[in-house]
Amino acid sequence: MPYRSPLLEAPRVVAPPEGHPEAGVPWHWGDPFAEQRTASRGVVVIDRSHREVLAVSGQERLSWLHLVISQHVTELAENTGTEALVLDSQGHIDAHFVLAHTDGTVFLDSDPGAVATSALPKGGKQTLLEYLEAMKFWAKVDIRDATGELALLTVLGPDTGKVLDVELDQAPYSVTALPDGGFARRMPWPTRDAVDLAVPRAQLTQWWQRLTDAGARPAGMWTFDALRVESRHPRLGVDTDERTIPHEVGWIGAAAHVAKGCYRGQETVAKVHNVGRPPRYLALLHLDGSPEITPETGDPVKLGERVVGRVGSVVQHHELGPIALALVKRSVPAAAELLAGGGDEQERVVQAVVDPDSVPGEHAAPGREAAQRLRG
C-alpha cells in the first residue's frame, strides 16, 4: 500500500498531484512561495518521511560497504556521513542515498522505491535491500529495513539553530544522536544550513509539533524541490535517465570516489575522469514564464529542430520564476536559445536559456594530458 504521511491529515495541507514523485507527503501548506521565502530568510520544516531507510551494522560494515558502493567509506568515522551510489556494470546510476554512521550502524536513506541491477547472470532490478543482501556473502554484517523505525524531517533556513534544542557540529554530513532516538545530520544542500532529522517514526507528529512550536514554518516538498533545483542537485529518476553517469550530474566526489577500486561501474568512473569528459551536463534552465504552461519531466530540449537534452525537475521558484533542471549535451552553445517541452501538439513548449553559472568549466583530464605529452 502506498505510503501516506499522517501530516497529510493536518488542516491547510495540500497533497502533491497524482503521480508526483513526492507522493505521500505534503506538497505545500497553502502558500508555497511564502514557504520558499521563509526557507531563505527564516526557518521551515519539511516532511520527507516517505524516504526509505536501511541500516547496516556488524563488525565489517565499513569494509563491506566500501566494496559495494561508490564512495570511500573504510575510514568513515562515527558521527559522520556522506553520499553514495550503486552503479551498474556500465557505470550508469542505479541508486543514490545519504549515509549517517552513528552508534555502530550505518544508516542509508534514499528516495522511495530505490532499486539496483542484480549482479546475477539473469540481471533485472532488485530493491536496494535485496541487492545489498545478495552482495553480503560471508561478510560479518547485518542489514535491515529501518524505514518503520525512522522518519526524515528536514529543517531549512538561516534560523535553523533557533528551533533545534541539540547542539550540532557545523561540518557537512556531521551526525549527532538525538536524545530520544534517531539522529540529526548536517547537509550542504539544498541550502547551506540544512539539517536532516531522522526521528523515531512513532514520534513524527510530536517532532513536527515541537519544531513548529519553536518557530519553524510548515513547508512542503514544493519548497524543498525549488531550492534543490536552484542549487542544481538532481533527484534520481527525475533528473536522470537510464544512461546517466555520475559525472553528468555532479556526483563525482560528493557521492562517487574516482581513485578507489573494487566497486561495480568503477572502470567507467575512472575512465571518464581521467581521459574524457561526460557527454552531457546538468543545466539549470530559465523558462519563459509568459505562457501559462511548463514542460514536463522527460520532455525534450531542442536547439532548432535538433534534440539536445532532456527535461528533469520543473518548479516554480519564488524569485527565479519557472526553472528546470535538464541533461544537456556539452556541445550546446552556452548562450543558445532553446525550446523545452513536448506533447502531442507541442502544446507545452516554451523558450529556455541555460543559466551561465551551471555551465561546467573544462575538467583537467590527467590521462588525456599525459597522452598529449607523449605525442609531443
Side-chain angles (χ1 to χ4, degrees):
M1 187 173 179
Y3 174 73
R4 181 177 173 83
S5 170
L7 295 174
L8 284 173
E9 306 304 321
R12 299 186 299 108
V13 70
V14 177
E18 186 176 353
H20 195 280
E22 309 298 355
V25 291
W27 194 34
H28 64 83
W29 292 75
D31 193 342
F33 292 141
E35 293 166 26
Q36 292 177 42
R37 288 192 292 271
T38 304
S40 298
R41 304 168 189 171
V43 58
V44 302
V45 57
I46 299 171
D47 179 7
R48 300 175 69 214
S49 61
H50 58 332
R51 285 180 68 81
E52 297 174 352
V53 185
L54 301 180
V56 180
S57 58
Q59 178 182 338
E60 297 177 348
R61 61 189 180 279
L62 294 180
S63 59
W64 173 77
L65 273 171
H66 187 78
L67 297 176
V68 296
I69 64 176
S70 63
Q71 191 58 281
H72 197 301
V73 293
T74 53
E75 299 174 4
L76 187 67
E78 280 270 343
N79 299 319
T80 62
T82 187
E83 297 180 53
L85 310 170
V86 171
L87 307 178
D88 70 11
S89 59
Q90 304 302 310
H92 303 133
I93 303 168
D94 269 348
H96 168 263
F97 38 88
V98 189
L99 282 66
H101 185 201
T102 183
D103 195 24
T105 300
V106 180
F107 293 94
L108 292 67
D109 60 279
S110 67
D111 288 320
V115 296
T117 305
S118 171
L120 298 175
K122 64 180 181 179
K125 297 294 186 181
Q126 301 174 297
T127 67
L128 185 56
L129 176 61
E130 291 170 340
Y131 173 76
L132 294 177
E133 283 285 359
M135 298 299 291
K136 188 166 68 172
F137 301 111
W138 297 280
K140 296 177 181 178
V141 295
D142 294 304
I143 310 166
R144 72 178 189 275
D145 185 348
T147 307
E149 304 169 26
L150 296 173
L152 207 71
L153 298 173
T154 295
V155 183
L156 300 177
D159 293 340
T160 291
K162 296 180 180 180
V163 301
L164 297 175
D165 55 4
V166 291
E167 187 172 343
L168 306 180
D169 193 295
Q170 296 300 309
Y173 304 107
S174 59
V175 177
T176 302
L178 296 174
D180 298 325
F183 58 85
R185 178 181 60 211
R186 284 278 184 190
M187 291 295 294
W189 61 274
T191 62
R192 288 178 297 176
D193 36 43
V195 176
D196 286 340
L197 299 174
V199 303
R201 187 166 290 275
Q203 300 176 24
L204 175 63
T205 55
Q206 292 96 315
W207 267 96
W208 182 269
Q209 192 65 51
R210 182 189 307 183
L211 292 165
T212 54
D213 286 348
R217 178 175 186 153
M221 285 302 300
W222 184 331
T223 290
F224 186 90
D225 282 337
L227 299 175
R228 176 182 62 78
V229 170
E230 180 188 12
S231 65
R232 303 196 303 275
H233 280 82
R235 189 193 194 282
L236 189 67
V238 177
D239 302 302
T240 64
D241 57 21
E242 69 281 355
R243 298 182 292 116
T244 306
I245 59 176
H247 316 67
E248 296 177 319
V249 292
W251 274 336
I252 292 297
H257 198 278
V258 297
K260 88 176 187 87
C262 303
Y263 66 93
R264 189 172 68 177
Q266 183 269 342
E267 182 178 354
T268 297
V269 170
K271 181 178 179 180
V272 174
H273 177 75
N274 287 314
V275 301
R277 61 180 190 174
R280 303 176 295 178
Y281 70 94
L282 191 67
L284 175 63
L285 298 184
H286 293 273
L287 307 174
D288 181 5
S290 54
E292 294 184 2
I293 54 173
T294 54
E296 296 180 358
T297 299
D299 279 347
V301 177
K302 291 185 176 182
L303 177 59
E305 295 299 316
R306 182 167 62 101
V307 175
V308 295
R310 172 195 178 276
V311 175
S313 299
V314 182
V315 296
Q316 294 283 346
H317 189 278
H318 72 108
E319 289 182 337
L320 302 178
I323 56 176
L325 293 177
L327 281 171
V328 176
K329 291 183 178 180
R330 290 183 67 102
S331 59
V332 175
E337 293 185 2
L338 306 173
L339 294 174
D344 294 339
E345 302 294 332
Q346 301 293 291
E347 71 267 19
R348 55 175 184 271
V349 176
V350 299
Q351 291 181 316
V353 294
V354 174
D355 188 304
D357 290 339
S358 68
V359 179
E362 284 297 319
H363 165 66
R368 188 169 66 238
E369 293 175 355
Q372 290 171 346
R373 289 196 298 270
L374 285 174
R375 289 195 294 267

